[in-house]
Amino acid sequence: MDSLIFGLIALGCSLAGITCGMLLRLVLPLEHLSDESKDAVKLGTGMIATLGALVLGLLIASAKGNFDTVNGGLRDTGAKMILLDRTLARYGAETGEIRLLLRHYIRHAVIYNWPEDKARVTTTKTDYPENWASKDGIGDLQARLRALTPRNETERELKARAIQIGYEIDHARWLLFEQRGMTALPMTFLVIIVCWFTLLFISFGLLAPRNATVLVVLFVCALSVSCALFLMIELDHPYRGIVKAPSTPLVDALKFMGE
């Protein structure tokens, strides 16, 4: 679900809970609003608040872990791209086209995942073969690496090292691809936590006096909860939204390559 839509739904449920609590206060008999009744309600809402805080904390930690995994994978991939380029440069001039294809693969990846950063990787000239298929860029690179013909022991070692790095990049690519479609936030958990916070705000509206200060504080509380849920879902989708994993590792790698 879109993070902004879910945040607005959470805010709406919280405000509806406050309104519902205030309306209940008007219709409930006085004995239901006695000090003993209020103490019992506070105990119940305290338990719900504790459960909600624990679950919310776990979900945020899980979403942050998902974001950090993607971010770390991008940094690792960028470093391996530079290492592969350096290895091919040491091999010799016959790897020039492979290095061009490697740079094109990075450009394609950045433009596909971060369209807003296209200007950072687009050059004024095409420095790679126009007929190269980018759908399986790493696979093509690996085929070209295996086709190299070493002339001495040093080149054989460099070829073996380049092929190994290529496999590691391909492995990281598929891990990031799988991570893109995964979510650490089951919808059931999100619905339950919104229900819990709605119940909390019903109790707040039921027990709190009706004045401008209380209303403002309750609104700020509801807004804070919805913002927390919004940021949590944003972190769980690192390739889209406002909080995105940066393309900087790949863009920086592209700057160092070809030198």
Side-chain angles (χ1 to χ4, degrees), residues 203-219:
S203 68
F204 294 160
L206 178 65
L207 301 178
R210 289 180 294 172
N211 57 62
T213 301
V214 171
L215 291 176
V216 170
V217 170
L218 291 179
F219 175 78

Side-chain angles (χ1 to χ4, degrees), residues 53-69 184-185 232 235-236:
L54 287 174
V55 174
L56 183 61
L58 290 173
L59 292 178
I60 290 177
S62 182
K64 183 63 165 60
N66 186 35
F67 183 88
D68 289 341
T69 298
L185 305 175
M232 180 177 66
L235 289 173
D236 192 52

